[in-house]
Amino acid sequence: MTFGGTTTAESTSTIFTDGFEECFANWITGGAFCSGTFYEGAQSAKMDNTEYVYTSLSTVGYTSITIKYVVRTSNLEAGDRFVAEWYDGSSWNNIETISSGFATWTLKKFILPAGADNNADFRLQFRVDTVAGNPAYVDAVEVIGSSGGTPDLDPPTPYPMTFATAPYSTGSSSIEMVATTASDASGVEYYFTAIDGGNDSGWQNSTTYEDTGLLPDTQYSYIVTAGDKSANLNNTAGSSAASATTDVQGVAIDSANADLSVAGTVSGN
């Protein structure tokens, strides 16, 4: 099945990657600091007030520049902003702005406009502007580019995506599910979306996802989507929704000291 063109594996390369394990060895920073709150490894970049971090690198020889990172925000209020942006040699360009709320670690992927291609003056920056000093964290930053070959225009298969194992309860506060293993020449990632009150997985390599921190005796529904790792970020359509109900919360009984009801009669003492 072909969607939009002929598919051959793209020649993609990681131009830059950093999880802040050496703090800001590869970054210029304005007030930010390394934090023990992290997505992977041992630390991340933490920014609050008007702090920032940026890195300079060359994308010469590469096209279809893709940015991946993981972000976590904490209680952003009205007027607060987390901003990711890139520099084209003369001006900064927005990648995304998060302006409110609290978010758990979430993997982000963006393909940049053509101005990011073959650019010797490329920069990537993360910054915050927060009134009350509420922080944002960034981890697992990656810059990817294509260096030739026919672009991958096809999403993974199966299309639409399906569950190999539908969601099922693993306790009073957790539900697990397994996606069908998808295929794509550029590699595959999976995203489990909670559609009625659970927690999204974010993009992940594993086909298995366990949603935790749920309410007991409550039904939750999910869909799963697969996306390829090409510079074009082709995604499947989501699966049909599937549901599961968490277990009833157990109640412990102190049987050693409790009065127990019995049937029959008792004679004597």
Side-chain angles (χ1 to χ4, degrees), residues 6 16 19 22 24 28 54 116 118 141 147 155 164 178 187-188 191 194-195 204 219 225 252:
T6 302
F16 174 85
E22 298 180 3
F24 298 124
I28 302 298
Y54 76 84
N118 292 297
V141 179
S147 56
V178 182
V188 179
Y191 197 106
I195 60 178
Q204 62 177 50
Q219 178 176 288
T225 304

Side-chain angles (χ1 to χ4, degrees), residues 2 9-10 40-41 69 74 76 119 121 133 157 196 220 234 240 260:
T2 300
E10 260 181 309
E40 63 183 18
Y69 56 90
S74 181
L76 298 187
N119 193 324
D121 297 318
T157 56
D196 55 4
Y220 294 91
N234 306 295
S240 299
L260 302 178

Side-chain angles (χ1 to χ4, degrees), residues 36 50 98:
T50 56
I98 302 174

Side-chain angles (χ1 to χ4, degrees), residues 11-225:
S11 177
T12 57
S13 301
T14 298
I15 303 170
F16 174 85
T17 183
D18 196 352
F20 301 99
E21 297 309 297
E22 298 180 3
C23 200
F24 298 124
N26 299 311
W27 301 81
I28 302 298
T29 177
F33 57 93
C34 295
S35 170
T37 299
F38 55 86
Y39 173 75
E40 63 183 18
Q43 56 191 9
S44 68
K46 179 182 179 182
M47 296 157 283
D48 54 28
N49 296 311
T50 56
E51 297 168 349
Y52 64 86
V53 295
Y54 76 84
T55 188
S56 300
L57 57 135
S58 173
T59 64
V60 172
Y62 297 95
T63 59
S64 300
I65 304 302
T66 301
I67 305 298
K68 297 175 65 175
Y69 56 90
V70 184
V71 62
R72 173 180 174 177
T73 59
S74 181
N75 299 320
L76 298 187
E77 302 172 359
D80 291 348
R81 292 188 304 162
F82 163 82
V83 179
E85 53 194 354
W86 65 279
Y87 185 73
D88 60 16
S90 60
S91 61
W92 288 99
N93 303 271
N94 184 264
I95 299 174
E96 76 160 340
T97 297
I98 302 174
S99 57
S100 64
F102 173 87
T104 57
W105 290 110
T106 305
L107 176 62
K108 301 299 186 78
K109 299 193 297 184
F110 300 94
I111 183 168
L112 301 186
D117 300 346
N118 292 297
N119 193 324
D121 297 318
F122 182 88
R123 297 180 187 177
L124 175 64
Q125 177 168 264
F126 304 101
R127 61 183 175 89
V128 297
D129 184 2
T130 58
V131 175
N134 296 317
Y137 305 84
V138 174
D139 201 357
V141 179
E142 189 173 6
V143 180
I144 303 168
S146 173
S147 56
T150 303
D152 184 347
L153 302 177
D154 292 351
T157 56
Y159 188 105
M161 192 55 183
T162 59
F163 284 102
T165 303
Y168 62 95
S169 175
T170 53
S172 60
S173 62
S174 57
I175 290 174
E176 187 167 304
M177 63 211 77
V178 182
T180 300
T181 300
S183 299
D184 190 274
S186 300
V188 179
E189 293 178 313
Y190 303 89
Y191 197 106
F192 297 86
T193 302
I195 60 178
D196 55 4
N199 304 294
D200 293 357
S201 66
W203 287 104
Q204 62 177 50
N205 292 324
S206 175
T207 57
T208 299
Y209 173 58
E210 184 174 33
D211 192 1
T212 60
L214 306 177
L215 297 175
D217 194 24
T218 302
Q219 178 176 288
Y220 294 91
S221 301
Y222 303 86
I223 62 174
V224 60
T225 304

